[in-house]
Amino acid sequence: MKHALYIIIGTLLLAACSTTACLEEGEQLYAGIDEITYNIDPQARKLSKKQRRRLAKQQEKGVITAVNDAVKQVEALISGESVPHDGLAQMTEEERKHLVGFTGRGAERAEARAQQAKEEQLQTIQTEVDAVLACEPNGALFGSSSVVNPLNIGLRVYNRFYKSESRFGQWMLKTFGKSPVLISTVAPQTRAKVATNQLHNFGYFRASTSYELIPKKNPKKTRVAYHIQTGPLYLIDSLRYEKFTPRIDSLLRSTRRQRFLKKGTAFCAANLVDERNRIENLLRENGYFNFSATNVRFEADTLRRPLFVSLRVKPDTATTADALRPWVMGHTYVTLYDNTSATIDTLLERRSFHYAFHGPRPPLRPSMWLRANLHRRGQPYRLSDQNATLEKLTAMGVLSQVNIDYLPASLEEGCDTLDTYITATMDRLYESAFEMNATLKSNHQFGPGVSYELSKKNAFRGGEKVSWKIFGSYEWFLGKGSNSSLNSFELGSELALTFPRLLLLSRYRQHFAASTKLALDVDWKNRSGFFNLIQAGLGGTYNWTRGPFSHELTAFNLEFDRLLSTTATFDSITTANPALYVSMRNQFVPSAAYGLTYMSPHTRHPLWAQAYIEEAGNLTGGIFALCGKKWNQTDKTVMGSPFAQFVKLTAEVHKTWTLTPSLSLASRFFGGAVFTYGNSTAAPYTALFYAGGANSVRGFAARSIGPGGYRSPVRRYAYIDQTGDFKLEANLELRANLIGNLGAAVFLDAGNVWLLHDDPLRPQSQLTAQNLKRIALGTGVGLRYDLTFLVLRVDFGIGLHAPYDTTRRGFYNIERFRDGCALHFAIGYPF
């Protein structure tokens, strides 16, 4: 109580400090943006008589510009300045009629396209201009440029301690103080000019931006209002590609649908740059190694039709013959250094590959270079082959440096053959990693964990990696009545062999980075008071990435689960719940799986999505069926253990909207189901779903809700059987940056699990239309501290609605408030 009183008194003292006390004479404190208004003239497409006379007077001049000056030159023409003429060809009467006048349905379609382009461009430019004008004042609420925290603690701390020479004062100033944001620092006049330039770049060549300073009651505080007159939007009237070679012209015509410049769309400088880059990538993908974006020139003419721009795309006059010539690939020269300072002393030639290295044999087998280098002698040069070659060489993980150069095979005039020169340095062969962690679970289990991994890279001179890992953990029970009999431990090891290619498929040319992992693992788990379990597995997994899509194919995974011992408590629980017994008994799980992950290339509003499917026991069940066993017979065993048979499907989507630089809204949706049949009546425990916990519905502890409306009468062991075959979950989180690397979040979570089949021992747990309404809902707040390499997170969840029946009626049915509170410590964001 005394500490709370000190905090209140301190806050009142700071609040009494003036926020403008430290301002010098003539300075004004920036108090945020008052408003940003856009004046959109509905008649903007119509020109005044004076403007028409000006354009008619310059009709004979024409406009020819390079992309770097295109917008500037168009602005000059519109303002009536003289623009250099470069001999633009005169149009025929038929061409002029086509460009200037449309009649009937053609005019209607053209006008509709123009109106759509104007609306789309206006939405884009408002976002861009708002970003240019945005500037956070002191005490900005969630990064807003308009809404300010009335306490403004940071500025008040600065005013109180900025002259302090004491250690405490300096510490307060450095830790909590925020220097004042002045009008002179914000520079609204400069921002208005930048906003106007941005409007011009997006095709609003007659736009203007003005600002107004609005004093507050305290004359030393001022807000800024911006007024934007967009004027008319200039559209592209015609587009022509001229003076390219016949082969290049054919490529440009065949990809016309991919153009960033299209008739009827806005004349935008960004689109000019994008189109130049597209042409460069297109031509370099088809053999034109020396072609670059600077070899593309634009000629713009605004005089043929008012408020429209006629564009012509041509090769720049400085373009060389080499840039317009397609190249084919020749020999490949590989120079490979080891990780010492040894000199190159050995040369080796294989087909069109030439190797230089130190020692009696190359550190990497020649076949590895043949697979990694996608260029082939006599084939056209392709930009994608160059990028994929570099990506595959880097993905091997055995090279510390890689560089690829291309040079003509000879200096003779007209040479069209490129030789590839790869220079690389081998990385260190051995690496090790030691990790420590601590876990605090919602079931009052706490303890440390350690792991150590030793790896050898390039084990067999083919980029292979052999790794051995050992890990262990120990957990104490911190709840009431804690004793050593409730402590748990885990000990395991894994031996893995990773290949930098798709094994058994390496004979095919792979245009992407890929790997194959074979792993053998053993895990011993002791859950004191319940069971002693050992798990052993052998698996093979393919991984590859193409563009924004990542693929993971588990070709096979053979897992044996065997209970070494159980306690009377565990036996009583499984006896009372036969489905739980089936999911945790000794069993053999032969499975295969495939996962597809998509990550959007957009960084402002990123989207992440994943779909996953896993099947187990179908091949084994088919073999038994061929041997005369019935498909639905449930007593079939392999090496004395029944095998699991199920199909599991999951889908998950994450979407984040960046509202301001320090405020974002993150969302998540998850859905999954596991279907059992044949030899199984219940899926293995590890394949089932649960709800609650630090990454789920945070208002409830892990495995404390579901399935459906079921509530275990024995709360102490309830988490064991509160799992389900079907799961739906949705999360929404508002994230804000507070001070430095400290962030805060407000979240809302909803979800539950259900059973696909009726279980009399767990009433109201089956997925039905009525039980689907039994959704757990929780909210809460949290703090996140970003250490760059990891994020520390603490969330305080509050349950709003439990899916099971309680003694309390109404939507908020939590019996006691403290029963609906959960504190979660975790590493990383929940999604």
Side-chain angles (χ1 to χ4, degrees):
M1 187 69 181
K2 186 182 294 184
H3 294 292
L5 182 61
Y6 290 156
I7 294 174
I8 293 174
I9 293 175
T11 303
L12 292 176
L13 289 175
L14 284 175
C17 298
S18 170
T19 57
T20 59
C22 67
L23 297 184
E24 300 291 340
E25 186 67 27
E27 291 182 340
Q28 288 183 305
L29 183 69
Y30 170 66
I33 295 177
D34 187 76
E35 63 176 349
I36 301 177
T37 59
Y38 288 85
N39 186 5
I40 312 298
D41 185 4
Q43 301 297 325
R45 292 294 306 280
K46 296 182 178 180
L47 293 176
S48 65
K49 291 183 178 180
K50 183 177 180 181
Q51 291 169 331
R52 288 184 181 276
R53 285 196 302 268
R54 178 189 300 165
L55 292 178
K57 183 179 179 180
Q58 300 181 20
Q59 183 68 35
E60 71 277 5
K61 291 186 177 180
V63 181
I64 300 177
T65 69
V67 64
N68 295 334
D69 303 320
V71 173
K72 183 177 179 180
Q73 295 289 352
V74 172
E75 293 174 18
L77 175 65
I78 294 171
S79 62
E81 299 176 9
S82 177
V83 180
H85 176 55
D86 195 28
L88 186 65
Q90 296 296 320
M91 300 173 60
T92 65
E93 186 65 25
E94 184 177 352
E95 289 175 330
R96 188 174 302 279
K97 288 180 179 179
H98 173 72
L99 291 175
V100 177
F102 294 95
T103 58
R105 295 182 179 179
E108 295 176 1
R109 288 195 296 265
E111 186 64 29
R113 287 195 300 266
Q115 185 62 31
Q116 181 181 0
K118 288 168 61 181
E119 294 174 357
E120 293 175 353
Q121 193 74 344
L122 185 59
Q123 294 176 359
T124 302
I125 195 58
Q126 285 184 345
T127 302
E128 297 291 335
V129 170
D130 287 352
V132 168
L133 299 178
C135 183
E136 296 182 18
N138 288 106
L141 194 62
F142 300 130
S144 172
S145 297
S146 303
V147 184
V148 178
N149 178 3
L151 293 178
N152 211 336
I153 299 297
L155 183 57
R156 295 180 189 275
V157 169
Y158 180 89
N159 288 333
R160 173 65 181 81
F161 295 103
Y162 80 103
K163 290 185 178 180
S164 175
E165 297 181 359
S166 66
R167 290 185 178 181
F168 175 76
Q170 291 295 319
W171 177 81
M172 287 288 293
L173 183 65
K174 182 179 179 181
T175 307
F176 301 105
K178 296 291 184 182
S179 59
V181 180
L182 305 177
I183 282 291
S184 58
T185 304
V186 176
Q189 182 178 5
T190 302
R191 291 179 181 273
K193 290 181 179 179
V194 174
T196 300
N197 292 337
Q198 190 78 317
L199 287 161
H200 292 180
N201 288 336
F202 277 81
Y204 295 92
F205 293 108
R206 299 178 188 169
S208 62
T209 304
S210 60
Y211 71 95
E212 176 185 3
L213 299 181
I214 304 176
K216 301 190 70 174
K217 292 182 179 180
N218 183 344
K220 288 191 174 183
K221 293 182 180 180
T222 301
R223 293 173 68 85
V224 182
Y226 294 97
H227 307 289
I228 298 166
Q229 180 76 36
T230 63
L233 173 64
Y234 277 69
L235 304 178
I236 296 177
D237 184 46
S238 64
L239 178 65
R240 295 188 177 195
Y241 293 77
E242 299 177 346
K243 297 186 178 180
F244 288 100
T245 65
R247 187 171 183 270
I248 294 178
D249 186 66
S250 178
L251 289 173
L252 294 174
R253 290 179 181 274
S254 64
T255 58
R256 62 169 61 93
R257 293 182 180 273
Q258 302 172 13
R259 293 174 181 172
F260 289 95
L261 302 173
K262 296 182 180 179
K263 181 179 178 179
T265 60
F267 178 79
C268 178
N271 289 343
L272 298 180
V273 176
D274 290 340
E275 179 65 8
R276 287 207 316 176
N277 293 334
R278 184 192 75 86
I279 294 175
E280 176 188 345
N281 293 333
L282 172 66
L283 298 187
R284 296 197 68 193
E285 186 64 20
N286 288 273
Y288 295 87
F289 170 75
N290 286 318
F291 195 91
S292 67
T294 56
N295 296 134
V296 179
R297 183 187 185 191
F298 294 97
E299 295 181 354
D301 188 352
T302 62
L303 304 183
R304 296 174 178 174
R305 187 180 178 193
L307 298 179
F308 280 87
V309 178
S310 298
L311 275 180
R312 296 190 181 186
V313 186
K314 299 180 178 181
D316 190 73
T317 54
T319 303
T320 63
D322 284 345
L324 300 177
R325 178 191 305 132
W327 295 79
V328 296
M329 302 310 301
H331 290 258
T332 299
Y333 296 86
V334 178
T335 303
L336 182 59
Y337 296 92
D338 58 20
N339 54 8
T340 65
S341 301
T343 58
I344 301 297
D345 57 12
T346 306
L347 300 177
L348 178 66
E349 183 175 345
R350 295 283 180 86
R351 299 180 183 176
S352 60
F353 282 72
H354 305 264
Y355 304 93
F357 51 89
H358 171 73
R361 60 181 185 176
L364 269 175
R365 292 196 303 266
S367 59
M368 295 303 301
W369 297 99
L370 182 63
R371 293 191 187 99
N373 184 20
L374 297 183
H375 297 301
R376 291 295 180 265
R377 185 179 180 184
Q379 296 295 319
Y381 163 84
R382 296 186 186 278
L383 178 62
S384 59
D385 289 343
Q386 176 182 342
N387 295 335
T389 298
L390 182 61
E391 181 183 2
K392 294 186 69 174
L393 289 173
T394 304
M396 284 186 188
V398 299
L399 302 174
S400 60
Q401 294 181 352
V402 181
N403 185 52
I404 302 179
D405 292 315
Y406 300 89
L407 295 175
S410 71
L411 298 179
E412 297 179 1
E413 186 177 354
C415 175
D416 63 352
T417 302
L418 283 176
D419 286 341
T420 306
Y421 291 82
I422 303 176
T423 305
T425 303
M426 295 294 298
D427 199 359
R428 291 177 297 179
L429 294 181
Y430 291 93
E431 64 180 8
S432 61
F434 180 75
E435 296 180 2
M436 297 183 63
N437 63 73
T439 304
L440 177 61
K441 298 181 179 179
S442 56
N443 59 358
H444 305 292
Q445 295 283 143
F446 169 79
V450 296
S451 68
Y452 176 76
E453 183 176 4
L454 177 64
S455 304
K456 181 181 180 180
K457 296 183 288 186
N458 199 35
F460 310 112
R461 297 176 48 244
E464 304 88 353
K465 179 180 178 180
V466 178
S467 59
W468 174 71
K469 182 179 182 180
I470 184 171
F471 54 90
S473 64
Y474 193 89
E475 296 177 355
W476 291 274
F477 180 74
L478 302 181
K480 295 181 179 180
S482 60
N483 56 71
S484 60
S485 64
L486 294 178
N487 298 339
S488 303
F489 65 84
E490 179 179 358
L491 182 64
S493 180
E494 181 188 67
L495 180 64
L497 175 59
T498 304
F499 300 85
R501 58 188 180 277
L502 298 181
L503 204 61
L504 303 180
L505 300 176
S506 57
R507 68 182 63 181
Y508 302 104
R509 196 180 182 195
Q510 298 166 8
H511 292 257
F512 46 85
S515 65
T516 303
K517 180 179 180 180
L518 301 175
L520 174 65
D521 62 90
V522 179
D523 192 5
W524 176 26
K525 298 178 180 179
N526 180 72
R527 298 294 181 256
S528 295
F530 296 104
F531 59 83
N532 204 329
L533 170 70
I534 188 167
Q535 296 176 314
L538 174 64
T541 304
Y542 293 115
N543 288 279
W544 69 96
T545 301
R546 302 195 70 174
F549 295 95
S550 298
H551 308 260
E552 180 177 307
L553 174 62
T554 303
F556 69 93
N557 186 48
L558 310 177
E559 180 180 319
F560 284 90
D561 298 341
R562 183 168 294 275
L563 287 168
L564 301 180
S565 62
T566 60
T567 65
T569 301
F570 180 79
D571 292 338
S572 64
I573 295 174
T574 54
T575 300
N577 191 339
L580 179 63
Y581 166 75
V582 172
S583 66
M584 300 196 66
R585 66 183 178 181
N586 297 337
Q587 56 188 319
F588 170 54
V589 186
S591 63
Y594 172 72
L596 175 64
T597 303
Y598 170 80
M599 183 175 294
S600 67
H602 305 291
T603 57
R604 180 172 173 80
H605 305 298
L607 171 67
W608 180 92
Q610 184 181 76
Y612 180 83
I613 179 172
E614 179 183 7
E615 69 82 24
N618 291 306
L619 179 59
T620 308
I623 294 175
F624 272 91
L626 293 176
C627 296
K629 295 286 187 177
K630 293 183 179 180
W631 179 263
N632 291 325
Q633 186 177 332
T634 58
D635 59 352
K636 302 186 288 289
T637 62
V638 175
M639 291 186 288
S641 298
F643 63 87
Q645 201 167 356
F646 65 87
V647 171
K648 183 178 182 179
L649 303 170
T650 63
E652 187 171 5
V653 178
H654 301 173
K655 176 68 177 180
T656 301
W657 293 271
T658 303
L659 307 179
T660 70
S662 58
L663 184 68
S664 62
L665 182 65
S667 63
R668 169 183 174 263
F669 173 79
F670 179 89
V674 55
F675 304 91
T676 56
Y677 48 86
N679 203 48
S680 297
T681 57
Y685 192 77
T686 55
L688 296 174
F689 302 102
Y690 69 89
N695 299 320
S696 180
V697 185
R698 285 163 281 184
F700 301 85
R703 294 183 174 87
S704 64
I705 51 179
Y710 171 72
R711 189 182 191 187
S712 176
V714 184
R715 303 304 304 154
R716 185 174 184 180
Y717 309 118
Y719 69 91
I720 296 179
D721 63 348
Q722 293 204 240
T723 55
D725 309 318
F726 185 85
K727 179 178 181 179
L728 288 177
E729 201 165 81
N731 310 83
L732 198 63
E733 184 170 286
L734 184 65
R735 299 169 180 170
N737 184 38
L738 296 180
I739 301 175
N741 294 333
L742 181 64
V746 180
F747 53 82
L748 183 66
D749 306 320
N752 202 356
V753 295
W754 294 265
L755 298 178
L756 295 179
H757 304 285
D758 183 35
D759 185 355
L761 299 177
R762 289 184 283 181
Q764 298 181 340
S765 60
Q766 186 179 9
L767 180 65
T768 62
Q770 183 177 0
N771 280 339
L772 190 59
K773 302 176 182 178
R774 294 185 176 272
I775 296 288
L777 184 66
T779 187
V781 296
L783 293 175
R784 291 96 170 87
Y785 192 78
D786 191 351
L787 297 175
T788 304
F789 57 92
L790 60 86
V791 175
L792 302 179
R793 172 168 59 97
V794 55
D795 287 330
F796 179 70
I798 303 173
L800 297 178
H801 180 76
Y804 45 78
D805 296 329
T806 67
T807 57
R808 191 165 184 166
R809 294 179 177 269
F811 180 79
Y812 181 79
N813 61 349
I814 309 298
E815 294 175 343
R816 294 180 300 177
F817 178 77
R818 67 178 184 180
D819 293 338
C821 297
L823 186 63
H824 307 281
F825 297 91
I827 295 177
Y829 290 103
F831 50 88

